Amino acid sequence: MSEHDIEDLVHTSILTLDRIRHPRLRDWCTTLYAFQRTHDCSHTMGRVEDILLRCGHTYRFPLDGFPEYTHLTDEFTELGEYDEEDPDEGVQDGYVRPPWLYCEAGTRMWRRMVDEGRLRGADAQPPRPAELIDVVATVAEAAERDGDVELIAMWWGLGHQTLVGGTPFGPEDLEEIPAVRRLREVVERSGAYAFELPDGFRPTEDELETLDDELETWWYRIPA
């Protein structure tokens, strides 16, 4: 079963970033969908297809220009299979939704289009890497302007292991990350720390009292 909370989180975040017309929207959509692929989610790009096409995250070509795929007449067909052991290499061959063949920037199908000269200039450049926490901090700041406290709370509720990763030794390591500080400031200003989240998104207040994890306690103890 798809994790609809994650699908909705990514979908709403892309809408939020699009409203501020950030110049790195292409890169950040790539980062958000890479995050989504680490969860049990369905293919949801059609929900924001106009945005993805406009920012150069996704490209489409008339299917009749690719004879090897014209036999695919179903409404939607993925051309690659998701690899749980190597999610960054999964679903890299594009997808078909007649009458179009689609590919995402940076994937194998995209590289084929570049090599064949179907994509040029800026469209032939791969997305620039972006850390998830940097994207989330910007989403949170934009969501604060929109008054979307739920979006802020949902991202923050995922915790430092999901948003930052790595092996910090203590809260001071997390505090040194500018995007972490930005996110915490938004969470406190907006009151997102008090927003009721689905079960499992953050420890309850009672759990925080007994939680034997300095990093988790620091992350979720807002205000300090």
Side-chain angles (χ1 to χ4, degrees):
M1 181 178 295
S2 291
E3 295 182 53
H4 297 303
D5 287 337
I6 297 297
E7 293 173 355
D8 292 343
L9 183 60
V10 170
H11 171 241
T12 305
S13 297
I14 289 175
L15 293 176
T16 300
L17 289 173
D18 182 58
R19 280 195 289 273
I20 64 174
R21 290 295 194 268
H22 197 282
R24 291 202 64 187
L25 182 59
R26 180 191 197 231
D27 305 325
W28 289 356
C29 286
T30 300
T31 298
L32 288 170
Y33 282 118
F35 160 75
Q36 179 171 300
R37 285 198 301 273
T38 65
H39 292 76
D40 182 14
C41 294
S42 301
H43 182 99
T44 59
M45 295 177 187
R47 298 164 66 179
V48 288
E49 183 176 296
D50 58 332
I51 296 173
L52 301 180
L53 290 170
R54 175 166 23 91
C55 76
H57 169 276
T58 299
Y59 299 91
R60 68 183 183 187
F61 305 87
L63 185 58
D64 59 13
F66 302 88
E68 66 269 44
Y69 299 127
T70 52
H71 67 285
L72 299 174
T73 57
D74 292 340
E75 183 176 349
F76 175 81
T77 305
E78 286 187 329
L79 301 178
E81 294 183 359
Y82 182 70
D83 184 349
E84 291 185 356
E85 295 183 359
D86 195 354
D88 289 338
E89 289 300 321
V91 194
Q92 295 282 294
D93 289 326
Y95 52 98
V96 168
R97 185 184 295 116
W100 302 104
L101 170 68
Y102 293 80
C103 67
E104 302 156 35
T107 63
R108 286 193 297 257
M109 182 67 78
W110 169 85
R111 287 194 289 270
R112 170 185 168 180
M113 300 305 178
V114 172
D115 292 343
E116 293 179 358
R118 298 173 189 260
L119 293 171
R120 298 183 177 87
D123 293 324
Q125 298 301 312
R128 290 181 292 161
E131 297 293 337
L132 180 60
I133 185 60
D134 292 321
V135 179
V136 169
T138 302
V139 169
E141 290 165 345
E144 183 181 21
R145 290 192 288 272
D146 291 346
D148 192 345
V149 178
E150 180 177 8
L151 182 58
I152 301 166
M154 289 285 283
W155 275 118
W156 167 71
L158 291 175
H160 73 90
Q161 291 180 329
T162 296
L163 301 186
V164 181
T167 55
F169 292 106
E172 63 278 4
D173 296 320
L174 292 174
E175 286 185 282
E176 290 179 357
I177 301 172
V180 170
R181 295 197 299 270
R182 289 164 54 203
L183 177 60
R184 284 177 64 86
E185 289 167 1
V186 172
V187 169
E188 183 164 5
R189 281 197 308 265
S190 66
Y193 58 85
F195 191 91
E196 185 174 350
L197 293 173
D199 291 342
F201 262 75
R202 65 175 296 269
T204 65
E205 289 301 319
D206 289 341
E207 289 170 339
L208 277 179
E209 292 294 333
T210 60
L211 193 62
D212 186 22
D213 187 320
E214 186 182 20
L215 287 167
E216 289 280 291
T217 300
W218 178 82
W219 183 274
Y220 289 114
R221 182 83 45 169
I222 299 178

